[in-house]
Amino acid sequence: MEKSCTLLIHFDKGTPAIANEIKEALEGNDVSAKVDAMKKAIMLLLNGETLPQLFITIVRYVLPSEDHTVQKLLLLYLEIIEKTDAKGRVLPEMILICQNLRNNLQHPNEYIRGVTLRFLCRLNETEIIEPLIPSVLQNLEHRHPFIRRNAILAVMSIYKLPQGDQLLVDAPDMIEKVLSTEQDPSAKRNAFLMLFTCAQERATNYLLTHVDRVSEWGELLQMVVLELIRKVCRTNRGEKAKYIKIIIALLNSPSTAVIYECAGTLVSLSSAPSAIKAAANTYCQLLLSQSDNNVKLIVLDRLNELKSSHRDVMVDLIMDVLRALSSPNLDIQRKTLDIVLELITPRNINEVVLLLKKEVVKTQTGELEKNGEYRQMLIQAIHSCAIKFPEVASTVVHLLMDFLGDSNVASAIDVVVFVREIIETNPKLRVSIITRLLDTFYQIRAARVCSCALWIIGEYCLSLSEVESAIATIKQCLGDLPFYSASEEGEATDASKKTPQASSITISSRRPAVLADGTYATQSAASETAFSPPTIVQGSLASGNLRSLLLTGDFFLGAVVACTLTKLVLRLEEVQPSKVEVNKATTQTLLILVSMLQLGQSHVLPHPIDNDSYDRIVLCMRLLCNTGDEIRKIWLQSCRQSFVKMLSEKQLRETEELKAKAQVSHAQPDDLIDFYHLKSRKDADDANKLNRILQLTGFSDPVYAEAYVTVHHYDIVLDVTVINRTKETLQNLCLELATMGDLKLVERPQNYTLAPESSKQIKANIKVSSTETGVIFGNIVYETSNVLERTVVVLNDIHIDIMDYISPAVCSDTAFRTMWAEFEWENKVAVNTVIQDEKEFLNHIIKSINMKCLTAPSALDGECGFLAANLYAKSIFGEDALVNLSIEKQADGKLSGYIRIRSKTQGIALSLGDKITLKQKGGS
């Protein structure tokens, strides 16, 4: 049987104390040396050593000590040593300590008496306790409350022993008398606890007799009263009414701990709206009155539980919950918003949105360093409100558009995505949103925000005035053309790159000139201008954000500008009756596109334009020169139709997720009950178990071993079967294990004796602390009577699979991108597979690494030879695993590309990479 342990101390196995040294220190007169020796002895005992030779030394030299620390350590030592033999009988030498314990119970020092009484609470041996009972009872009337409260606990522990009711027949009567006369709050609490535990009817009678005075009792006693009420009401539901009155009275207690417990008790005993509302109000008061963030988070958890089971009651308290946003802690703010967003109704939506707007405005003026993150959360919350209740969008969209130029890029992205969705779902707001977007476009500083805003402008500018304003705004933000200047178009650049020897440029009326690098060129007599390499033209102070971003080499944004201008010109052809104006706009747009291509192919930027952006801009130029009806339809209608389809799929997915959450009950009342022990053993289950069995030694080894591995959250249990295949008895057989990775052995290995051709089941527990592929290795060591040396059998390694610790999970696209940017560990795996279909390979990877595909199915439709998808999973330790799969079908039908894994920790990135490398070929 396992022993209960009340003491846990870290033990450094590298420096074990020697029993003889401990013995010498205990026999000396130095108190500090005795204290250190006792501590070492206790640590050795806790870690499996027996040290039988120390007992008599401790009885002779430690028992008489008057030092309080030594006496405390002595009681700890007596608590953990073996006091009985194999048959359960008390060891004879234990009689030696009885007299010492009796003396301590009558000691003039209150501390010695108190700790001894507490020690008796942990003794289970009746033979030792019985002679001490008179001394224990005398302490019930001691003048000092410290002794009385521990004496009551000792009486309770003795009475709870198997034969305790015979040792202390009238214990409940004595404790009830103590309870009626006791004045010390702690002692009174202990007395009531004893009655509650050992004589529940007496405790109930006492409570009902003094029901009017419960609110005057101390905090500790009130907590036990609530525990009694919960227990009584579970066994006898009919008596709930009279106890709920007591709970309601205790809700006015000055103790916050009592109030918290009262609320929890109310919820567990009653589902009446009045009781639930009282509990919810109590939680809201605690949420505002407590300054400790941990307390606030716990209370929010309780409110979240109430929201799930009693949503109608919580809806009325939504504004009280929102007051928790005043806390500067992001976790509290996030959890508060999560609760509130599920309590929104048409009746309270306006109040909620108004408060959220005020909080957004506060983030502009506040000086807290995490204002940006809080503002992002608020924007996402407002976005959710506007999607659920479109009528409130008009009250918030213009306020949020002020943050398109936010320095926190994540907040600005959330705003522009919100605007993009609202302008489609609320056609009435289209004109005002477009007008405000064109007015504030110059403030946007992030390329991703600019790209999304340009798409909105290209798709939703429909009238003539809107199209003309949009083209003018984009031209203003691009600034004056060209984007760079070069005298005589690059000839000077070529000249400047030549070796220092004479070069000639033929121009009329020539004469030699010395260039900056010392080479020669001829120049016109009419022009004294020196040739210089091309330089970037930054533009005037009025030049806008698009020019600044383009001059950093962001040609993806340049391609977006080109597409937006092309759409606007195509729409201008439809709404502008004057062909002259259309031709003028077309010419100006072509000039802008040509200037961007020139900039991309020049040497003024460190990197030239990428091929995709180049092709996109050239395509726009061709469309402006020659446009057919089909092409016009694709550019002006199909893009928006795809966006509408994406929104509908997103709403459908969110609806399905809500339905899945709502399905709390997984069993029907008429479902059959499945009794495991009466169920037939299926072959599939047996086969699954066989897959978990690992062979650790060879068949020819004198000792055969195999392990059955069970993984359960944070624990790994190895059930090792060891078989002695020899004709000899194996002595001191020990299974020695070691780990690599974030694994830790829990128990110290024990020695066994194994008879000839017999077997032994040995269990080893291992703790897991992170998601990393760990390795367990070791050996079996044993001795035989014939061989003096120990024999060692080396075991095969056991590899712990990462798949046991991760499970598919869901997160938003924004959250995925944010984590992708933040996580520092990346593992890039090249695709190497015999699978030739892109979707089949994606499904194979998802199944192999147990992850969720975040990319919508519609985005994976079609056959284009390319496929990109994002996968996501979480570990049981809360770690995030991100995977991006990008593949392309080659001309020969094979797939190529990369699978990139990112995580916050190195272990999960490497382990997932190894798993993908092993599984991706498709053979297993």
Side-chain angles (χ1 to χ4, degrees), residues 166-180:
Q166 299 174 14
L167 296 175
L168 284 171
V169 180
D170 54 349
D173 290 327
M174 287 188 292
I175 298 300
E176 192 170 11
K177 291 177 183 177
V178 170
L179 180 60
S180 60

Side-chain angles (χ1 to χ4, degrees), residues 232-249:
V232 170
C233 291
R234 283 195 201 101
T235 55
N236 191 352
R237 288 276 176 181
E239 298 184 2
K240 280 196 304 183
K242 57 185 177 184
Y243 290 110
I244 285 181
K245 292 179 182 177
I246 299 174
I247 299 172
I248 298 295

Side-chain angles (χ1 to χ4, degrees), residues 831-864:
V831 172
N832 179 19
T833 181
V834 296
I835 300 173
Q836 296 191 350
D837 183 76
E838 303 97 302
K839 292 176 187 172
E840 183 185 347
F841 180 69
L842 171 63
N843 292 331
H844 174 69
I845 292 296
I846 290 171
K847 183 179 178 182
S848 299
I849 60 177
N850 195 27
M851 300 188 83
K852 171 80 172 176
C853 181
L854 300 181
T855 307
S858 60
L860 302 173
D861 287 345
E863 300 291 337
C864 63

Side-chain angles (χ1 to χ4, degrees), residues 780-799:
I780 292 176
V781 183
Y782 62 89
E783 298 172 354
T784 59
S785 56
N786 298 336
V787 183
L788 296 177
E789 295 182 356
R790 305 189 78 185
T791 306
V792 178
V793 179
V794 179
L795 306 178
N796 292 331
D797 294 347
I798 300 174
H799 293 265

Side-chain angles (χ1 to χ4, degrees), residues 166-360:
Q166 299 174 14
L167 296 175
L168 284 171
V169 180
D170 54 349
D173 290 327
M174 287 188 292
I175 298 300
E176 192 170 11
K177 291 177 183 177
V178 170
L179 180 60
S180 60
T181 58
E182 182 60 63
Q183 298 300 317
D184 179 66
S186 296
K188 198 164 187 174
R189 174 258 181 197
N190 289 353
F192 189 82
L193 180 63
M194 189 274 174
L195 293 180
F196 163 45
T197 308
C198 305
Q200 187 173 310
E201 288 186 7
R202 290 175 182 267
T204 306
N205 292 334
Y206 181 82
L207 173 62
L208 295 176
T209 305
H210 300 82
V211 67
D212 297 331
R213 300 182 57 191
V214 172
S215 56
E216 302 172 6
W217 290 350
E219 173 187 349
L220 297 174
L221 184 54
Q222 288 176 343
M223 297 287 277
V224 182
V225 166
L226 289 171
E227 193 175 345
L228 172 67
I229 291 173
R230 281 196 293 268
K231 187 174 180 181
V232 170
C233 291
R234 283 195 201 101
T235 55
N236 191 352
R237 288 276 176 181
E239 298 184 2
K240 280 196 304 183
K242 57 185 177 184
Y243 290 110
I244 285 181
K245 292 179 182 177
I246 299 174
I247 299 172
I248 298 295
L250 289 177
L251 281 174
N252 298 318
S253 170
S255 167
T256 52
V258 172
I259 293 173
Y260 175 81
E261 287 297 325
C262 279
T265 305
L266 265 181
V267 173
S268 64
L269 296 183
S270 175
S271 57
S274 57
I276 299 301
K277 190 167 185 178
N281 276 321
T282 302
Y283 286 140
C284 290
Q285 291 171 14
L286 290 172
L287 195 59
L288 297 173
S289 62
Q290 297 303 300
S291 58
D292 191 315
N293 289 338
N294 293 316
V295 173
K296 287 178 182 284
L297 289 170
I298 292 169
V299 172
L300 284 170
D301 285 336
R302 300 291 82 77
L303 287 171
N304 192 36
E305 292 169 3
L306 282 182
K307 176 208 69 182
S308 303
S309 54
H310 302 280
R311 185 178 183 276
D312 294 341
V313 176
M314 286 297 297
V315 164
D316 296 333
L317 299 172
I318 189 170
M319 299 309 294
D320 293 326
V321 176
L322 271 172
R323 291 167 69 187
L325 290 177
S326 58
S327 169
N329 184 276
L330 282 178
D331 292 325
I332 294 172
Q333 292 166 340
R334 183 179 293 107
K335 193 165 280 193
T336 302
L337 290 173
D338 289 343
I339 294 171
V340 166
L341 288 178
E342 294 187 32
L343 296 175
I344 294 173
T345 63
R347 194 176 60 189
N348 60 30
I349 181 64
N350 291 325
E351 286 182 285
V352 172
V353 170
L354 182 62
L355 190 143
L356 294 178
K357 283 170 61 178
K358 289 180 181 178
E359 289 296 314
V360 170

